[in-house]
Amino acid sequence: RPSAADGQLRLKGQTRLCCGPVLHIVVVGFHHKKGCQVEFSYPPLMPDEGHDSNLLPEEWKYLPFLALPDGAHNYQEDTVYFHLPPLSGDMKCVYGVSCYRQIEAKALKVRQADVTRETVQKSVCVLSRVPLYGLLQAKLQLITHAYFEEKDFSQISILKELYEHMNGSLRGSALEGSQVYLGLSPRDLILQFQHKVLILFKLILLEKKVLFYVSPVNRLVGALMTVLSLFPGMIEHGLVDSSHYRPKSSVSEDLSLVESVSGAEEFVSVSATDIDNSTLELEAGQTTRRTSGSQSSRTGTEGDNNHLKPPSRTSPEASDSDWETLDPSVLEESPKEAAEMKEAGSELSDAFDSKPGTPITVQPQAATGQGGVTQGLVSGLEEDQYGLPLPIFTKGYLCLPYMALQQHHLLSDVTVRGFVAGATNILFHQQRHLSDAIVEVEEARIQIHDPELRKVLSLTTADLRFADYLVKHVTENRDDVFLDGTGWEGGDEWIRAQFTLYLHSLLSSTLQQDNERLLADYGAPFIAAWKITHNYRVWYSNKHPAMAHITPGHPFQGQYSVADVKLRLSHSVQNSERGKKIGNAMITTSRSMVQTGKAVGQSVGGALTSAKSAMSSWFSTLAQPPAVSAPTSPEPATEVKP
């Protein structure tokens, strides 16, 4: 009897461990000989190992380098967001939050034998199924502080309590904005990047290779994730497939040979069979269908579901987005499949587990007006009634908030269509040929190397009006309304609502007949480039009846005015290289003139002062006492201003 009961308890415990929102609590330390390594994990990362095992699953081999970031010794504490690939086919992206701290070794109550340096560096990590970055960070920072205050790292009971507490408090929680967006401030982003935020928004819509660069890591991941929060539903449901990559050691020999090709030649040497061999996943409802080159001879019933096909051309002129194309028959099959889905009565999947359990629903939000979410027929993502989030981070387009140097090979991996990644190591910044754009967060500068891409991303007059509208509302309300955080216009949720309106209007405009004039306000080159991206083709392949209620056309369309000319001039001066040079020259010239004026003023003023003092003393000897007051009238002239 006792053994059977114990067995049932263990089984329940394993189910709880398996299905909870938090997968593991991990401690990563820096060993003076072995480097970064896992020192503790609860539950153990390897099922057959102990809590203190250093072993890792092959898919998570980069975990120590992500949790303990490069250059961490330069900061007393830091926070990292990172993504790990799934360990099995039924899992999704694993969201990691790590809090790093360092402490002087002499302050430890219990100093272990392997502590040979003056400082001890460790990170406490949470590996989660849910993208609650800010909420996890807030809880983790408190525990990490308490863990270090113990000054005895063998006291791990507090970490086990953290695991139990997080799984208890987060289980059954709804993925709603107040929790998901905690710590992500679009206001701060707009105050720093101004109208360039819209360029970042369009850059990600085009599925380009975007690299964010700044130190420390908490600024890096904060800026990157805040940009993604501008896309409606993206953080809640759009990142589940954003970390599907393979570690370098598990990449096939053929692909590793292609990786050795430098620069833009890497895509030239890819054959159609290479792309065939890369796995294309298509999820409908809760069913996952896998296809590959070696399985292309499957039965016709399975082949009908393969809506994603390799490109017919792989020449250098082919667009990156031609990596896969949609079968036109999707348009015909979508209503039929939608009816089958309704008959099947598929319910919302649990955000924590694919098995039936406590359903996780999305509450209606005032900013977006969206209700519940349903499983996308083609994208495999949970979508709202408008088909959002757009399936940007799918099929090899990665989102890596922080990249360790050991992951550098992913930038040139042929199975990676593109990425939005963050880095603090200068080596990422120096190899500019591996990315389409580098976002320097510190200087609020976006470096785009391709002139054609710069032309595609140039903001139209309507775009500039939209960006200026955001900037004005944020800056005007900066010092008054938001002292208590109760304001709406210019606030974080208001900004996200504006970008939701922008995206809704853009999507609605693409559905209209004879829409060239409507789309011109978004930029004809941008629209042409966006329409061949994977996310647009998947969205367009499905019907979204709710889009009928969205007014097409740019939110800031209208006739040109003098204000538009001034706005365009200001934008050109701030962004073009020639404009920056002119601006710098004007600043330098004005500074020189001021300095010269001060020097001249001082010399002239000194001469006049000497002359006046001489004249005053001369008059004082000749004039009567009442006349001595006469020189007081020109007294203010002693200060000669330039």
Side-chain angles (χ1 to χ4, degrees):
R1 286 292 180 182
S3 61
D6 291 342
Q8 291 179 356
L9 288 175
R10 284 196 299 268
L11 182 60
K12 290 182 180 180
Q14 290 176 359
T15 304
R16 178 179 54 78
L17 296 180
C18 173
C19 302
V22 175
L23 298 173
H24 301 277
I25 302 294
V26 182
V27 176
V28 175
F30 182 81
H31 193 275
H32 65 284
K33 291 183 178 180
K34 302 177 182 178
C36 300
Q37 64 177 6
V38 172
E39 297 180 346
F40 168 82
S41 59
Y42 180 80
L45 293 174
M46 302 294 287
D48 299 330
E49 300 291 334
H51 297 313
D52 57 350
S53 174
N54 304 130
L55 299 180
L56 283 167
E58 177 65 20
E59 294 84 353
W60 291 357
K61 62 182 295 184
Y62 302 125
L63 171 59
F65 310 103
L66 295 169
L68 204 61
D70 186 33
H73 60 277
N74 295 321
Y75 302 95
Q76 192 67 27
E77 56 184 327
D78 204 355
T79 304
V80 188
Y81 301 161
F82 58 90
H83 293 166
L84 292 175
L87 294 180
S88 58
D90 59 340
M91 283 183 64
K92 300 297 183 181
C93 172
V94 176
Y95 309 95
V97 178
S98 171
C99 286
Y100 158 83
R101 287 178 68 92
Q102 61 177 335
I103 187 175
E104 292 185 355
K106 62 182 181 181
L108 295 176
K109 295 179 181 178
V110 178
R111 182 166 179 168
Q112 300 174 350
D114 58 352
V115 177
T116 60
R117 297 194 172 190
E118 296 181 356
T119 58
V120 178
Q121 303 165 5
K122 292 185 186 294
S123 287
V124 181
C125 316
V126 173
L127 303 183
S128 171
R129 296 173 182 265
V130 290
L132 300 175
Y133 304 98
L135 186 62
L136 294 175
Q137 175 186 344
K139 294 176 178 291
L140 189 57
Q141 282 180 333
L142 295 175
I143 298 300
T144 303
H145 179 76
Y147 182 54
F148 271 73
E149 285 298 313
E150 291 283 343
K151 296 182 174 59
D152 181 5
F153 295 120
S154 62
Q155 301 296 322
I156 58 176
S157 59
I158 189 174
L159 301 178
K160 295 181 179 180
E161 292 174 2
L162 172 65
Y163 176 83
E164 301 291 343
H165 168 72
M166 282 192 169
N167 271 322
S169 61
L170 296 179
R171 183 181 298 275
S173 299
L175 286 177
E176 55 187 13
S178 60
Q179 293 184 344
V180 173
Y181 300 135
L182 183 64
L184 305 178
S185 175
R187 277 179 52 80
D188 295 340
L189 189 73
I190 289 181
L191 287 173
Q192 184 175 12
F193 281 89
Q194 303 284 310
H195 58 273
K196 298 177 186 176
V197 172
L198 186 55
I199 298 178
L200 291 174
F201 189 81
K202 284 188 163 186
L203 196 59
I204 296 175
L205 277 177
L206 295 181
E207 299 178 352
K208 295 300 180 181
K209 299 179 179 180
V210 185
L211 181 70
F212 284 72
Y213 177 79
V214 76
S215 290
V217 182
N218 60 2
R219 290 190 60 194
L220 174 74
V221 297
L224 189 150
M225 298 309 299
T226 301
V227 173
L228 297 187
S229 73
L230 301 177
F231 292 83
M234 183 62 72
I235 292 185
E236 297 96 315
H237 306 291
L239 301 177
V240 293
D241 295 329
S242 65
S243 62
H244 284 49
Y245 62 84
R246 290 174 291 181
K248 191 171 185 179
S249 59
S250 62
V251 178
S252 64
E253 294 181 2
D254 293 337
L255 294 180
S256 63
L257 290 176
V258 178
E259 286 178 11
S260 63
V261 181
S262 61
E265 299 176 356
E266 60 197 17
F267 287 99
V268 180
S269 58
V270 184
S271 63
T273 55
D274 287 330
I275 302 176
D276 263 339
N277 291 331
S278 61
T279 303
L280 301 179
E281 298 179 7
L282 181 64
E283 299 181 5
Q286 296 179 352
T287 304
T288 303
R289 304 180 179 91
R290 295 178 176 270
T291 64
S292 63
S294 60
Q295 298 172 337
S296 59
S297 59
R298 285 190 173 184
T299 59
T301 56
E302 294 178 347
D304 292 338
N305 295 320
N306 300 333
H307 302 308
L308 299 173
K309 296 182 177 181
S312 58
R313 54 192 175 94
T314 55
S315 63
E317 291 79 10
S319 172
D320 290 345
S321 58
D322 285 342
W323 185 80
E324 53 186 344
T325 55
L326 273 175
D327 189 345
S329 62
V330 175
L331 293 172
E332 302 175 0
E333 295 178 0
S334 295
K336 180 180 177 181
E337 291 184 2
E340 293 176 355
M341 290 291 292
K342 290 181 180 179
E343 292 177 2
S346 60
E347 300 178 354
L348 297 179
S349 60
D350 193 332
F352 302 148
D353 189 15
S354 59
K355 296 181 181 180
T358 305
I360 304 302
T361 59
V362 177
Q363 301 296 328
Q365 301 179 20
T368 59
Q370 68 178 22
V373 294
T374 57
Q375 196 77 16
L377 298 178
V378 180
S379 69
L381 304 177
E382 293 184 352
E383 302 173 350
D384 65 8
Q385 56 188 337
Y386 304 103
L388 302 177
L390 291 174
I392 296 176
F393 296 100
T394 57
K395 309 303 177 188
Y397 192 80
L398 304 181
C399 174
L400 304 173
Y402 172 70
M403 282 189 73
L405 188 59
Q406 289 76 8
Q407 295 176 298
H408 184 271
H409 68 281
L410 293 175
L411 300 185
S412 56
D413 194 330
V414 293
T415 63
V416 175
R417 288 193 300 123
F419 52 81
V420 176
T424 59
N425 195 297
I426 190 64
L427 294 178
F428 286 95
H429 187 277
Q430 290 174 344
Q431 297 190 345
R432 302 181 179 182
H433 63 281
L434 297 179
S435 58
D436 296 314
I438 296 179
V439 183
E440 297 179 354
V441 180
E442 182 69 35
E443 295 82 8
R445 181 169 55 197
I446 306 173
Q447 293 186 6
I448 300 175
H449 323 303
D450 184 10
E452 289 299 320
L453 181 57
R454 285 200 296 268
K455 180 180 178 181
V456 168
L457 291 170
S458 60
L459 299 181
T460 64
T461 300
D463 282 342
L464 288 175
R465 292 172 186 162
F466 172 71
D468 189 58
Y469 177 72
L470 297 178
V471 172
K472 284 184 177 179
H473 274 73
V474 169
T475 54
E476 288 175 358
N477 296 327
R478 186 175 184 180
D479 299 325
D480 44 18
V481 180
F482 289 91
L483 289 177
D484 55 358
T486 59
W488 164 248
E489 286 196 6
D492 292 337
E493 291 300 323
W494 180 85
I495 294 170
R496 293 190 184 98
Q498 304 312 307
F499 276 93
T500 299
L501 173 63
Y502 182 92
L503 188 57
H504 281 175
S505 302
L506 172 60
L507 292 169
S508 178
S509 300
T510 62
L511 300 177
Q512 307 303 314
Q513 298 292 333
D514 301 325
N515 55 8
E516 288 79 9
R517 294 188 62 183
L518 291 176
L519 296 177
D521 286 325
Y522 296 96
F526 168 76
I527 294 298
W530 181 48
K531 282 189 173 182
I532 61 175
T533 60
H534 172 74
N535 70 82
Y536 175 79
R537 287 182 285 114
V538 171
W539 181 87
Y540 189 76
S541 67
N542 276 335
K543 304 296 182 181
H544 307 289
M547 293 303 300
H549 304 293
I550 303 297
T551 303
H554 200 291
F556 285 82
Q557 60 184 344
Q559 298 294 327
Y560 293 100
S561 64
V562 177
D564 294 327
V565 177
K566 295 180 179 178
L567 194 60
R568 172 67 62 184
L569 180 61
S570 173
H571 172 71
S572 301
V573 170
Q574 293 178 18
N575 285 274
S576 65
E577 293 299 326
R578 183 177 300 176
K580 290 178 182 178
K581 291 179 180 179
I582 294 175
N584 292 334
M586 292 176 63
I587 293 174
T588 304
T589 303
S590 61
R591 186 183 297 118
S592 301
M593 291 179 64
V594 169
Q595 293 175 352
T596 303
K598 287 182 178 179
V600 172
Q602 290 175 356
S603 60
V604 174
L608 290 176
T609 302
S610 301
K612 281 199 305 176
S613 61
M615 292 294 293
S616 299
S617 60
W618 182 66
F619 273 112
S620 64
T621 58
L622 297 179
Q624 298 295 327
V628 177
S629 59
T632 58
S633 57
E635 194 65 32
T638 56
E639 297 181 3
V640 179
K641 298 183 179 180

